[in-house]
Amino acid sequence: MIKLKENEFQAITSYVHTNYGVDLRKKRHLIEGRLSHYVSQLGYDNYMDYFEYVKNDKQNDEISVLINKLTTNHTYFLRESEHFDFYKQQVLPWVDETEKNRDLRVWSAGCSSGQEPYTLAMITHDYLGSKLSNWDSTILASDISDKVLMTAKSGVYSKEELSKIPMEWKRKYFKDYDEEYLSVTDSIRKGVAYRNFNLLSRFQFKKPFHAIFCRNVMIYFDKPTKNAVVQKFYDALLPGGYFFIGQSESLASVEHSFKYVKPSIYQKEG
Ligand SMILES: C[S@@+](CC[C@H](N)C(=O)[O-])C[C@H]1O[C@@H](n2cnc3c(N)ncnc32)[C@H](O)[C@@H]1O
């Protein structure tokens, strides 16, 4: 194990905190444990040289590897399924009734490897059914990690991982990839637009969203970062729009203007 020196610890944690909102200032052992092997695999014998290499990578691939190693990309289809029930029963009927331009705008912010936006796309397809072609229903999905976005874009998942999704979805929305994997159908893949986007950067969207899912993402953010990001989500929503966070998260200690709907679901009052 390569020992993480105090100046290296300070340099890495302050960079990741300032630029990505990820607060690892109490995670010294985690950093050492998760990076040591990779650092020596790359041929470095200290973290500072490795960190210089990360910062000089113009493609930003290495910063995304670093963030990946220090945070978690864990996700799965239909995770926290009450949110999807709410989406089906409340959000979609509301949009269907009120959106005269037939333009559904949903954002999965911190989408990891795509299971969350594809779940939303399948529910949307089920709901709109034969009306689908009248709608622009593309879901925006973003993450800071190019690695997870690559998996997301491929839309390929193991049969084992898909064993718990409804049989009907597998029949309608997946096709064989190889013996062990299935891939989402083209209509579902086209139903999601992936972007690399850092939530700390400026939000510039042409139109406000009907719903934003930012679930299990802000867990690493400190309070000022959370306050700022939640305010940006609020501003990016249409009045009446919904905001979803992870079920183990809360906005209790965050300054915000949302109306509380139920645990982990909030609404911008119209
Ligand atoms: C645990 S996953 C959550 C996936 C999905 N939303 C879910 O609940 O299953 C958290 C994701 O947030 C992303 N993330 C962390 N900080 C971010 C930031 N500043 N901007 C954008 N994405 C970020 C990570 O790369 C990771 O893929």
Side-chain angles (χ1 to χ4, degrees):
M1 173 96 75
I2 307 174
K3 193 113 194 73
L4 180 65
K5 296 190 212 77
E6 182 58 29
N7 64 327
E8 297 170 328
F9 174 65
Q10 293 296 340
I12 294 174
T13 50
S14 101
Y15 185 84
V16 170
H17 183 235
T18 309
N19 293 291
Y20 299 94
V22 175
D23 187 1
L24 297 164
R25 288 171 295 183
K26 290 191 184 123
K27 309 269 177 167
R28 194 188 185 105
H29 294 298
L30 179 136
I31 298 175
E32 214 172 47
R34 297 213 182 148
L35 289 185
S36 176
H37 181 64
Y38 185 63
V39 168
S40 63
Q41 231 180 15
L42 288 173
Y44 296 107
D45 62 3
N46 69 80
Y47 293 87
M48 207 46 112
D49 289 348
Y50 157 72
F51 188 47
E52 283 307 313
Y53 157 73
V54 170
K55 286 192 294 183
N56 287 328
D57 172 26
K58 298 280 172 282
Q59 308 293 321
N60 281 331
D61 288 342
E62 281 302 329
I63 186 68
S64 119
V65 172
L66 180 111
I67 302 276
N68 269 343
K69 287 190 181 292
L70 300 181
T71 62
T72 169
N73 300 113
H74 182 63
T75 185
Y76 48 93
F77 283 93
L78 279 167
R79 178 180 197 179
E80 300 174 353
S81 62
E82 294 80 5
H83 288 159
F84 297 111
D85 295 339
F86 190 92
Y87 177 66
K88 183 162 66 187
Q89 289 154 12
Q90 306 283 330
V91 180
L92 286 172
W94 165 63
V95 178
D96 196 10
E97 227 168 73
T98 55
E99 181 57 43
K100 298 290 166 260
N101 295 328
R102 298 287 172 249
D103 180 16
L104 169 71
R105 296 180 303 274
V106 175
W107 179 16
S108 163
C111 63
S112 189
S113 35
Q115 290 84 339
E116 178 180 283
Y118 285 136
T119 302
L120 290 165
M122 291 188 280
I123 295 170
T124 305
H125 280 221
D126 278 353
Y127 181 87
L128 292 176
S130 59
K131 295 189 287 184
L132 186 71
S133 58
N134 304 333
W135 280 80
D136 178 353
S137 62
T138 313
I139 284 156
L140 171 67
S142 67
D143 204 283
I144 31 161
S145 160
D146 281 332
K147 189 164 166 239
V148 293
L149 286 171
M150 237 157 70
T151 307
K153 282 180 199 165
S154 80
V156 175
Y157 300 96
S158 74
K159 288 184 180 169
E160 194 191 336
E161 172 171 1
L162 295 168
S163 62
K164 291 195 190 80
I165 71 163
M167 208 46 214
E168 203 200 328
W169 277 7
K170 264 193 265 187
R171 200 173 42 74
K172 274 165 72 180
Y173 300 129
F174 286 87
K175 57 188 181 189
D176 278 332
Y177 182 76
D178 64 18
E179 266 186 21
E180 280 175 55
Y181 291 85
L182 297 177
S183 98
V184 293
T185 56
D186 290 345
S187 69
I188 291 298
R189 196 196 317 274
K190 284 187 200 137
V192 181
Y194 288 102
R195 300 273 179 278
N196 185 311
F197 185 74
N198 181 354
L199 294 172
L200 264 65
S201 52
R202 208 155 87 91
F203 289 11
Q204 283 177 300
F205 299 103
K206 287 202 189 94
K207 291 180 181 167
F209 293 97
H210 296 103
I212 297 175
F213 291 75
C214 184
R215 308 184 311 155
N216 309 298
V217 177
M218 294 185 288
I219 33 173
Y220 295 102
F221 293 179
D222 64 7
K223 199 171 167 229
T225 309
K226 261 190 210 166
N227 284 344
V229 174
V230 168
Q231 180 64 46
K232 290 193 285 185
F233 283 131
Y234 183 86
D235 294 339
L237 276 165
L238 196 68
Y242 293 92
F243 180 52
F244 298 77
I245 58 173
Q247 285 181 345
S248 57
E249 301 173 275
S250 148
L251 293 188
S253 62
V254 176
E255 288 156 25
H256 68 87
S257 316
F258 282 111
K259 181 180 124 189
Y260 169 87
V261 178
K262 51 158 85 176
S264 66
I265 305 180
Y266 298 83
Q267 186 177 28
K268 176 169 174 169
E269 281 182 284

